[in-house]
Amino acid sequence: MKPQSRNNSNHRSERGGSHFDHNNHQTHSQHRNDHRSFDHSRNNDHNGYHRQRSTQSEQTDVQVEVGQRFPLTIKRLGINGEGIGYYRHKITFVPGALPDEVVVAEVTHVAAHFLNAKVHQIRKESDHRVTPPDTQSAEVGGFELSHLDYPSQLAFKRDVIRQALEKFQPRGWENYDLRPTIGMADPYHYRNKAQFQVRQDADGNVIAGLYKEGTHDLVDLPEASTQNEATMTVIRALVKMLQELQVPIYNEEANSGIIKTLVVRSSEASGEVQVTFVTNSQKLPHKRELLALIEERLPQVVSVMQNVNQSKTSLVWGDKTTKLTGQDYITETLLGKQFQLSPRAFLQLNPKQTTRLYEETIKALDLTHADHLVDAYSGVGTIGLSLADRAGEVRGMDTIEESVDDANRNAELNGITNAEYSVGTAEDLLPQWVSQGWRPDALVVDPPRAGLADTMIDTIMQVQPEKFVYVSCNPSTLAQNLVELGRVYRVEYIQSIDMFPQTARVEAIVKLVLR
Ligand code: SAH
């Protein structure tokens, strides 16, 4: 196998940004951005590891140039799923290479403390290498592990947590019960949402897909093995309609044309599909014909929205969303509760695993009916509302007003009267509630990649809820937070769960009990 050349020079900065961007950056990978984007601390881990292990002189002595090739034995996988080897003691990241492989690496980027390289040739192949189903998967992000067999992907995800704990060493980490990662029976076709850029190729054909790593070169994706069928069917049908009707497509260089992005989200339970056209202007030429074709050919589409984004930034969504036809929401069902979703509301991207994630969270929390529960970083309230039947009272918060409105509406929709969601940060609202005399017995936190704010940790240490579950999408910030939390809480177990097969992303549920 010869992976496509990648532009690795942007590799590190592309993954930066510790903010939660609420699905709003258009990069090569929807995976990184749909939920909670990669943060710098993760990338810097690489260098951090290296600095601990070798001296300055070893690093700077190595004379290497871009384009240089050398054989390299791959020792392990890094946290982003790339192969790691050492070229004369200098840590070298080789995406697409696997542990125990011997590759001929070709240097793509030289930095003070590390090298980036691509696979020029594989001399000795890993027994765990598989042929990815997608031919484009080496080009676009979101398929970082698709060349690795699935059992090894699951083992990797558990090991990433172990590596993070080893690095930050929270109290008692050696004895943590790290449970095997819960995987999927079929680790493909799981994504319930596609956010594809739309452009016209040199021949005037409309194409839709993701950017090549680190570039704005769009790769047309007629197939994508991680997307569910509903989203792909609708995307491809829409592309055909745009072509037939000659709807003007956005041109980034000229900043002309109209259609920029297609966002398609499906409900697993109801089969409903919502389509959002992100456009460069309020006007949408051929709107009537387009809506008529959707109605005729795509009866599963029950909601069509338009979002106007005239900015030239890399943000996908503009501020204004209007309805073109149909319903305002699609409805998803999780653990017997219904959730109405507005176009921008956050929902986990893998419905099957979301059910398991929440089941594991419920199990770990082990609520009683008197408990006051806080659902912190609540999104549309999916965790708290799934638990409301088992709790005395639920309070939750999120910084995004739309999500909080959805959460409160969803409480009502499900006849839940003991749950209330507020707009604000966890670190502000939790202490506020406590100072007003409302004390939580149970707490679930599900923060973005940056982890918990220091002030949030301080509050938790003061209030000391008896039951505490930390749902983490970033082992690195999890391990750092556990250093603090470990003074008061003991980790009973860490259950990782694979929400994103074929990618390097790791999700984990941590059960904490008071010491
Ligand atoms: N628990 C939800 C959502 C998790 S995503 C679910 O399972 O679907 C993380 C959420 O944290 C996002 O909705 C984001 O808007 C919110 N968020 C980010 N920073 C926050 C903060 N400081 N306080 C509260 N919520 C925050």
Side-chain angles (χ1 to χ4, degrees), residues 20 35 346 348 358 377-379 382 398-400 425-427 446 448:
F20 172 73
H35 189 181
F346 174 82
Q348 297 279 357
Y358 293 168
Y377 311 87
S378 59
T382 40
D398 199 284
T399 45
I400 295 186
T425 64
E427 52 275 26
D446 186 10

Side-chain angles (χ1 to χ4, degrees), residues 26-241:
Q26 37 165 312
T27 68
H28 48 276
S29 161
Q30 3 174 39
H31 293 267
R32 289 193 189 117
N33 299 289
D34 268 330
H35 189 181
R36 299 165 265 194
S37 58
F38 272 67
D39 69 334
H40 275 299
S41 67
R42 270 203 128 185
N43 298 328
N44 294 340
D45 282 352
H46 291 319
N47 310 336
Y49 276 125
H50 183 52
R51 266 186 223 113
Q52 284 168 8
R53 285 179 187 178
S54 59
T55 64
Q56 201 66 35
S57 65
E58 278 170 340
Q59 290 154 16
T60 41
D61 279 345
V62 186
Q63 293 294 318
V64 196
E65 281 172 14
V66 170
Q68 193 175 325
R69 291 175 186 165
F70 46 75
L72 192 72
T73 301
I74 304 301
K75 300 287 186 198
R76 61 191 168 94
L77 288 178
I79 50 183
N80 295 313
E82 66 279 67
I84 290 179
Y86 293 85
Y87 177 66
R88 302 213 231 135
H89 301 291
K90 191 157 178 156
I91 192 164
T92 305
F93 300 106
V94 194
L98 294 174
D100 297 328
E101 288 188 333
V102 180
V103 301
V104 177
E106 180 178 319
V107 176
T108 55
H109 180 71
V110 180
H113 302 292
F114 63 89
L115 301 174
N116 286 338
K118 63 184 182 183
V119 177
H120 171 67
Q121 192 199 335
I122 299 176
R123 287 205 176 151
K124 184 186 151 228
E125 196 175 275
S126 163
D127 293 341
H128 299 287
R129 178 173 285 278
V130 294
T131 306
D134 307 82
T135 45
Q136 312 89 344
S137 60
E139 287 185 273
V140 297
F143 297 90
E144 290 75 14
L145 296 179
S146 63
H147 55 297
L148 180 63
D149 64 32
Y150 193 55
S152 305
Q153 289 186 25
L154 295 177
F156 161 81
K157 294 192 179 193
R158 182 172 176 269
D159 192 58
V160 167
I161 298 173
R162 192 197 50 74
Q163 282 185 46
L165 293 171
E166 186 178 14
K167 182 175 177 199
F168 294 103
Q169 313 215 330
R171 185 171 159 191
W173 69 276
E174 302 97 324
N175 302 318
Y176 283 5
D177 176 12
L178 293 184
R179 302 193 170 167
T181 306
I182 298 174
M184 297 186 80
D186 172 13
Y188 296 103
H189 306 296
Y190 58 84
R191 284 184 58 106
N192 57 6
K193 180 176 158 184
Q195 186 164 289
F196 280 9
Q197 304 305 320
V198 187
R199 296 293 180 267
Q200 221 157 5
D201 70 10
D203 303 325
N205 298 314
V206 178
I207 60 171
L210 301 172
Y211 293 132
K212 252 183 221 179
E213 289 247 44
T215 75
H216 270 207
D217 303 338
L218 194 65
V219 179
D220 191 30
L221 294 175
E223 281 160 29
S225 64
T226 53
Q227 287 296 146
N228 72 11
E229 198 189 322
T231 54
M232 288 310 282
T233 305
V234 171
I235 289 259
R236 295 327 288 184
L238 291 172
V239 165
K240 195 152 167 267
M241 291 173 201

Side-chain angles (χ1 to χ4, degrees), residues 193-479:
K193 180 176 158 184
Q195 186 164 289
F196 280 9
Q197 304 305 320
V198 187
R199 296 293 180 267
Q200 221 157 5
D201 70 10
D203 303 325
N205 298 314
V206 178
I207 60 171
L210 301 172
Y211 293 132
K212 252 183 221 179
E213 289 247 44
T215 75
H216 270 207
D217 303 338
L218 194 65
V219 179
D220 191 30
L221 294 175
E223 281 160 29
S225 64
T226 53
Q227 287 296 146
N228 72 11
E229 198 189 322
T231 54
M232 288 310 282
T233 305
V234 171
I235 289 259
R236 295 327 288 184
L238 291 172
V239 165
K240 195 152 167 267
M241 291 173 201
L242 294 173
Q243 182 87 41
E244 275 174 34
L245 296 172
Q246 298 279 301
V247 181
I249 303 300
Y250 182 61
N251 179 314
E252 201 171 353
E253 282 105 69
N255 194 27
S256 65
I258 305 289
I259 306 276
K260 288 177 138 176
T261 312
L262 292 175
V263 184
V264 174
R265 175 146 73 178
S266 68
S267 158
E268 176 106 332
S270 66
E272 293 176 336
V273 175
Q274 181 173 62
V275 169
T276 306
F277 293 99
V278 181
T279 59
N280 192 29
S281 102
Q282 183 64 52
K283 74 171 192 274
L284 176 52
H286 305 289
K287 178 159 67 184
R288 275 223 325 272
E289 295 101 308
L290 185 59
L291 295 178
L293 280 186
I294 292 175
E295 192 178 344
E296 183 192 316
R297 296 182 192 169
L298 297 170
Q300 66 273 46
V301 174
V302 299
S303 167
V304 184
M305 316 291 278
Q306 179 181 1
N307 174 272
V308 181
N309 181 3
Q310 288 172 313
S311 75
K312 282 193 73 180
T313 66
S314 64
L315 298 181
V316 170
W317 292 84
D319 290 333
K320 200 171 154 215
T321 307
T322 49
K323 183 167 72 177
L324 296 179
T325 186
Q327 309 167 7
D328 291 328
Y329 311 105
I330 56 169
T331 306
E332 182 62 285
T333 307
L334 293 166
L335 297 180
K337 297 284 187 310
Q338 299 200 318
F339 295 94
Q340 290 185 340
L341 305 165
S342 46
R344 294 191 61 182
F346 174 82
L347 185 76
Q348 297 279 357
L349 291 164
N350 183 335
K352 283 201 182 68
Q353 293 298 83
T354 300
T355 301
R356 300 170 95 172
L357 177 74
Y358 293 168
E359 280 168 353
E360 287 295 328
T361 305
I362 291 170
K363 191 170 92 186
L365 262 181
D366 194 20
L367 290 185
T368 66
H369 284 287
D371 283 337
H372 287 178
L373 169 70
V374 172
D375 175 11
Y377 311 87
S378 59
V380 298
T382 40
I383 294 179
L385 296 178
S386 300
L387 278 158
D389 298 344
R390 298 162 196 251
E393 190 185 340
V394 178
R395 287 192 186 185
M397 83 296 275
D398 199 284
T399 45
I400 295 186
E401 195 173 344
E402 261 180 80
S403 296
V404 172
D405 290 346
D406 282 358
N408 285 319
R409 207 188 44 254
N410 285 327
E412 214 170 300
L413 180 71
N414 290 288
I416 293 168
T417 52
N418 62 342
E420 197 185 331
Y421 287 86
S422 309
V423 182
T425 64
E427 52 275 26
D428 286 346
L429 285 179
L430 185 56
Q432 210 169 298
W433 294 340
V434 171
S435 71
Q436 290 159 359
W438 190 87
R439 196 186 164 279
D441 312 288
L443 169 67
V444 53
V445 298
D446 186 10
R449 302 200 62 83
L452 302 177
D454 290 344
T455 47
M456 178 67 178
I457 294 179
D458 292 345
T459 306
I460 295 171
M461 308 273 275
Q462 269 163 32
V463 181
Q464 303 198 359
E466 199 179 318
K467 299 169 184 178
F468 179 18
V469 170
Y470 188 143
V471 181
S472 164
C473 60
N474 183 348
S476 181
T477 54
L478 171 66

